[in-house]
Amino acid sequence: MRTSQPPASDQPAAPATDAGTATRPTAAAPTVAAAAPARAARPARAATTAAPAAPAKTAPTHLATPPGRDVVAPTSAAAVPAKGKPAKDRFDDLKGSVHEELLVQLGPKLYDANLTAAELEAMVRQALADVMAASDRPLTANDRQRITQEIADDILGYGPLEPYLRDESVAEVMVNGPFDIWLERNGKLVRVDGTFNDEAHLRRTIDKIVSRIGRRIDEASPMVDARLPDGSRVNAVVPPLAIDGSSLTIRKFATDPLTVQNLIDFGSMSRKTADFLEACVKGRLNVIVSGGTGAGKTTTLNVLSSFIPSDERIVTIEDAAELQLKQDHVVRLESRPSNIEGKGEVSIRDLVRNSLRMRPDRIVVGEVRDASALDMLQAMNTGHDGSICTVHSNGPRDTLARLETLVLMAGMDLPMRAIREQVASAVDLIVHQARLKDGSRRITHVTEVERMEGDVITLQDIFLFDNNAGFDADGRSLGTLKATGLRPSFLEKMAHSNVTIDPRTFVPESL
């Protein structure tokens, strides 16, 4: 096999290929080398001579991906693909040096438990101003302010996510790897330009979030549910489970929780429905709020809980504490995962059973998703009327089917009819919520759970969402929640709690 000769001293060297990229000698290579003197002698024809030879050059491997063939992403955290990585900021080197100098100056003071958040922020910003003033790099006032804010956000907060967490119009922040951040605004997903520096920067931010509430995340435990100090819910998944870099999802909750009037203004429910639900809560009915992911169940649960009289003892049970009840007598419980040795887990079911010994007037469960459904039904059937919980489902009938499935997860081997009798006896009302195509969150069903007829639980819709109005020019739903004209059978039960409902509440709007 012939090997290519080294270039002569008076000829330009061939362009070097990427490291580790092997190129096969081709017939075109000598042609290009031999044509070099001709191009020097005849510059006018150089372009035409070189053009045909260009396709013969071997492209680097990172550019020569065959059409239709996917590039397999690496699975290790250290080898996260750089696809989509933005251009390097011209101030990255300055931010890095200022950040390092700041850490050298402050050192362990950043972790001093005796410092309040306000004192720590004042100390960091003062040190940051000193370091920036000592820098000899000329900066405009806007650039100086931006760099100062970004470094402060990284040390005091959650780095690139801070601007979005401060933005009240943002409902959810979704991070799909270090270079891909999405937001939910007005029920719609929007991609933004903010990015992390790399995978390590994103992992430091995730560690900062989970460590503050005593949780951990690593290869041994690559998934975690946590919360921010303001109650926002956090879910994180890291490699090797997350293929394209760590995934972080933050469901924001407003500092000032939404009220029933807010939901009426947003069109989530009507005034008549709100008055009816308030009477149901005060009348100590057992209520289940159902719906899909992101449908607004927790917000509705918060509003319903606000109707509970302030002279009652309320016990809330959640995976990650999110409810923001304003009553005076509230006991908040939160489940706990197992430690690194696989011990110490306290489940929702354990907390529900324990709450029965705490003399509760009401039990509010953030979400029933496992065998705790059996204990919740037993609590509703043993004198703890007025309890409220949420369940994931697609509709009122599906809610009952899902409750049956969750009860079976308890492993008690109960007959299906016994389970359905428990459900029919315990649950009085299902409030189903959905997120519509236009992004709005609406209550679509307010349904009474009546009784067993044969082997089937009968349901009766009291309020139903009417889609007949269609959509406006901007694609927003014009539908409303309307009374069906049916009167619920639990009005007598509510009367025992001295709660009555105006009969006109159930008159359909069309009459």
Side-chain angles (χ1 to χ4, degrees):
M1 175 176 154
R2 293 178 58 190
T3 57
S4 57
Q5 298 296 326
S9 57
D10 58 341
Q11 294 176 351
T17 59
D18 285 1
T21 305
T23 55
R24 292 183 57 188
T26 62
T31 306
V32 174
R39 287 198 299 269
R42 291 179 293 175
R45 298 185 58 187
T48 35
T49 307
K57 295 182 181 179
T58 303
T61 53
H62 65 281
L63 297 177
T65 304
R69 182 175 297 177
D70 295 333
V71 179
V72 179
T75 57
S76 65
V80 175
K83 183 178 179 180
K85 184 173 181 178
K88 183 178 177 65
D89 192 328
R90 69 182 190 276
F91 296 123
D92 278 352
D93 54 343
L94 176 61
K95 287 190 289 188
S97 61
V98 171
H99 197 159
E100 291 176 5
E101 179 63 26
L102 194 64
L103 295 178
V104 169
Q105 287 191 16
L106 299 180
K109 292 182 181 179
L110 293 173
Y111 308 98
D112 189 351
N114 296 322
L115 288 175
T116 65
E119 291 172 341
L120 179 61
E121 181 176 359
M123 182 182 67
V124 168
R125 291 193 179 277
Q126 181 58 48
L128 190 53
D130 295 340
V131 174
M132 290 292 293
S135 173
D136 57 355
R137 185 162 177 176
L139 296 170
T140 65
N142 288 338
D143 288 339
R144 184 180 298 274
Q145 182 179 3
R146 179 171 69 88
I147 294 172
T148 300
Q149 186 61 52
E150 289 178 1
I151 297 176
D153 287 344
D154 215 20
I155 294 177
L156 298 170
Y158 306 110
L161 302 182
E162 274 297 314
Y164 313 126
L165 295 177
R166 289 193 291 260
D167 188 347
E168 295 183 357
S169 67
V170 175
E172 196 150 1
V173 180
M174 292 149 279
V175 181
N176 310 325
F179 313 121
D180 193 16
I181 300 178
W182 293 74
L183 308 177
E184 181 189 319
R185 281 195 177 105
N186 302 320
K188 300 291 186 179
L189 296 182
V190 181
R191 190 173 189 172
V192 293
D193 295 332
T195 62
F196 289 85
N197 296 335
D198 49 29
E199 171 69 11
H201 187 195
L202 174 55
R203 286 291 293 272
R204 286 196 304 271
T205 302
I206 294 174
D207 289 336
K208 183 185 295 186
I209 292 173
V210 302
S211 62
R212 289 183 176 177
I213 61 168
R215 302 285 173 92
R216 65 183 180 87
I217 186 166
D218 49 36
E219 289 189 2
S221 179
M223 297 186 296
V224 69
D225 284 315
R227 56 180 166 82
L228 299 181
D230 64 356
S232 297
R233 183 170 58 193
V234 178
N235 176 268
V237 185
V238 301
L241 300 188
I243 303 299
D244 298 322
S246 299
S247 172
L248 177 65
T249 309
I250 301 176
R251 174 78 58 79
K252 286 181 56 183
F253 285 88
T255 306
D256 186 18
L258 296 179
T259 64
V260 63
Q261 187 58 50
N262 294 136
L263 296 190
I264 294 172
D265 294 340
F266 296 154
S268 296
M269 66 173 76
S270 63
R271 169 54 67 183
K272 288 172 60 174
T273 307
D275 294 339
F276 174 73
L277 292 177
E278 181 176 1
C280 290
V281 173
K282 291 181 177 178
R284 302 187 66 82
L285 298 185
N286 294 320
V287 181
I288 291 182
V289 181
S290 64
T293 301
K297 298 187 299 297
T298 304
T299 299
T300 301
L301 179 62
N302 237 345
V303 169
L304 294 181
S305 301
S306 69
F307 298 143
I308 300 176
S310 58
D311 61 347
E312 296 187 13
R313 176 176 169 86
I314 308 168
V315 178
T316 68
I317 300 170
E318 301 172 84
D319 266 332
E322 304 173 295
L323 296 175
Q324 304 175 51
L325 274 63
K326 300 300 183 183
Q327 286 86 346
D328 296 329
H329 199 166
V330 179
V331 180
R332 304 171 71 204
L333 303 179
E334 186 178 63
S335 65
R336 185 180 70 183
S338 57
N339 59 20
I340 195 171
E341 298 174 352
K343 301 178 181 178
E345 179 183 7
V346 180
S347 66
I348 293 288
R349 188 177 187 187
D350 297 329
L351 293 177
V352 171
R353 284 202 300 261
N354 184 77
S355 68
L356 301 180
R357 306 181 183 94
M358 300 175 66
R359 200 261 178 223
D361 288 311
R362 311 265 186 154
I363 300 175
V364 179
V365 180
E367 183 178 337
V368 176
R369 65 178 72 177
D370 52 20
S372 61
L374 176 59
D375 300 283
M376 189 67 201
L377 290 177
Q378 288 180 329
M380 291 177 173
N381 271 323
T382 54
H384 298 89
D385 292 333
S387 297
I388 312 173
C389 64
T390 70
V391 173
H392 277 90
S393 73
N394 294 327
R397 176 63 62 183
D398 291 335
T399 301
L400 300 182
R402 181 158 164 75
L403 280 176
E404 295 170 7
T405 304
L406 295 177
V407 170
L408 290 173
M409 292 173 63
M412 303 298 290
D413 199 21
L414 297 172
M416 187 59 68
R417 182 175 179 84
I419 296 174
R420 290 178 179 172
E421 287 177 348
Q422 281 268 353
V423 173
S425 174
V427 182
D428 296 306
L429 191 69
I430 296 174
V431 179
H432 185 75
Q433 189 150 346
R435 181 165 58 178
L436 305 184
K437 186 176 181 181
D438 61 358
S440 61
R441 295 168 170 86
R442 306 289 185 93
I443 292 177
T444 58
H445 298 75
V446 178
T447 304
E448 178 191 11
V449 180
E450 290 194 296
R451 58 189 179 278
M452 289 283 293
E453 289 188 1
D455 290 333
V456 179
I457 302 174
T458 58
L459 299 178
Q460 177 175 268
D461 292 328
I462 309 302
F463 292 89
L464 201 59
F465 189 79
D466 183 10
N467 283 300
N468 292 331
F471 300 86
D472 65 10
D474 298 324
R476 292 189 294 265
S477 174
L478 298 175
T480 56
L481 192 63
K482 296 182 179 180
T484 61
L486 301 175
R487 291 169 58 89
S489 58
F490 51 61
L491 294 180
E492 183 178 349
K493 178 180 178 180
M494 295 173 61
H496 293 323
S497 299
N498 195 26
V499 176
T500 58
I501 299 179
D502 187 346
R504 290 175 295 180
T505 302
F506 308 109
V507 176
E509 283 78 355
S510 58
L511 299 182

